[in-house]
Amino acid sequence: MKIFLAREELIYSKTTVHKYMNTELKLKSVVMRKKPAYLKGTVHKVFPNLIKRSFTVEKPNKVWCTDFTYMSLSNGSKRYNCTILDLYDRSVMATLNGKEITSELAIRTLELALKSNKPSIEGLILHSDQGSQYTSKEFREFCSTNKIIQSMSKAGCPYNNAPMERYYNTFKNELIHLFHFRNDELLDRAVYDYSYSWYNHLRPHSFNQGLTPFEARYRV
């Protein structure tokens, strides 16, 4: 196992790491709840899968992927997050929370990604599942207007969007399952700080050979 500490590579066995995590740091694993069964909804228009599990991209802003996940406030009410990743370096391009999963939230997240990153969007592919938010007339028209090519996973097949599944697994293990959020303001702030500050700039990523997404993107 490789550990990247202050940009220095240290190599220890998994047994050694496990021992110190348990005995010295008193750390315990977070047990994930069983994921609810997938319920297929009604889609308006389905696009072909253009990336076909090819998750390695040679340049930034060529293939983005996106998805939704749910979160809970302390009172039990649900909130939803929409995030867009760049497959080039797994950077979070945009993230937004909302009270409902809607095409409006998907559009606002994509709009934020475009404004914040100002990519050369000619030929940009956006990969998602077949959720009604991404197949809706409003979302399709927004993509068409901005010359974005839509790509979609086969219904009920999360492996076709594995980078998003992995990101959300990390996101929940390192943030959502460890803290309680009393209100939307605290949740929003925590999600944005995690995504833009911690995940993009400070957290080493195995896909980037131990570099953060920011370092991999700009080769700092």
Side-chain angles (χ1 to χ4, degrees):
M1 173 178 281
K2 295 182 180 180
I3 297 177
F4 299 91
L5 182 61
R7 315 321 310 154
E8 179 182 355
E9 180 177 334
L10 305 175
I11 302 177
Y12 295 99
S13 69
K14 291 184 178 180
T15 303
T16 299
V17 173
H18 183 269
K19 180 182 72 174
Y20 284 104
M21 286 178 67
N22 280 260
T23 60
E24 299 296 329
L25 300 177
K26 308 299 182 184
L27 297 176
K28 296 183 180 180
S29 63
V30 176
V31 179
M32 293 286 290
R33 297 185 181 89
K34 186 176 180 181
K35 194 172 183 178
Y38 175 83
L39 298 176
K40 184 177 179 181
T42 301
V43 299
H44 301 282
K45 179 178 174 59
V46 175
F47 292 86
N49 186 343
L50 300 178
I51 64 174
K52 299 178 180 178
R53 301 191 188 181
S54 179
F55 301 128
T56 300
V57 182
E58 295 183 354
K59 295 181 180 180
N61 301 322
K62 293 301 180 184
V63 182
W64 292 353
C65 57
T66 183
D67 203 355
F68 283 88
T69 196
Y70 72 92
M71 307 165 292
S72 298
L73 295 180
S74 298
N75 62 9
S77 60
K78 292 289 187 291
R79 295 295 183 268
Y80 301 91
N81 173 266
C82 182
T83 291
I84 297 174
L85 297 182
D86 190 333
L87 288 186
Y88 171 69
D89 52 16
R90 304 313 196 251
S91 290
V92 175
M93 309 305 284
T95 187
L96 280 178
N97 297 336
K99 294 184 178 181
E100 297 179 329
I101 297 181
T102 62
S103 57
E104 179 188 2
L105 180 56
I107 290 171
R108 288 197 295 115
T109 307
L110 180 53
E111 190 173 31
L112 178 61
L114 295 174
K115 287 182 178 179
S116 300
N117 300 283
K118 297 182 176 61
S120 172
I121 61 173
E122 183 176 355
L124 172 65
I125 295 174
L126 180 68
H127 186 73
S128 69
D129 60 22
Q130 295 182 15
S132 59
Q133 302 78 26
Y134 300 117
T135 64
S136 68
K137 180 175 180 291
E138 294 81 8
F139 191 82
R140 288 188 288 110
E141 288 181 348
F142 183 84
C143 288
S144 177
T145 299
N146 288 279
K147 299 180 181 179
I148 296 172
I149 303 168
Q150 286 188 257
S151 168
M152 290 185 172
S153 302
K154 181 181 178 181
C157 188
Y159 302 107
N160 287 346
N161 204 1
M164 283 304 314
E165 294 287 332
R166 177 172 180 175
Y167 170 76
Y168 274 139
N169 182 68
T170 301
F171 168 75
K172 289 195 172 184
N173 278 339
E174 295 183 352
L175 179 68
I176 301 303
H177 293 326
L178 297 182
F179 302 98
H180 297 283
F181 305 99
R182 297 191 305 274
N183 53 51
D184 290 324
E185 181 181 358
L186 292 174
L187 177 61
D188 291 348
R189 187 185 309 160
V191 169
Y192 302 155
D193 286 347
Y194 176 86
S195 301
Y196 297 129
S197 298
W198 170 251
Y199 189 86
N200 276 357
H201 289 268
L202 298 175
R203 187 186 189 279
H205 201 301
S206 59
F207 177 80
N208 297 322
Q209 290 75 53
L211 299 177
T212 68
F214 178 83
E215 290 171 330
R217 198 173 195 84
Y218 299 105
R219 298 298 167 183
V220 175

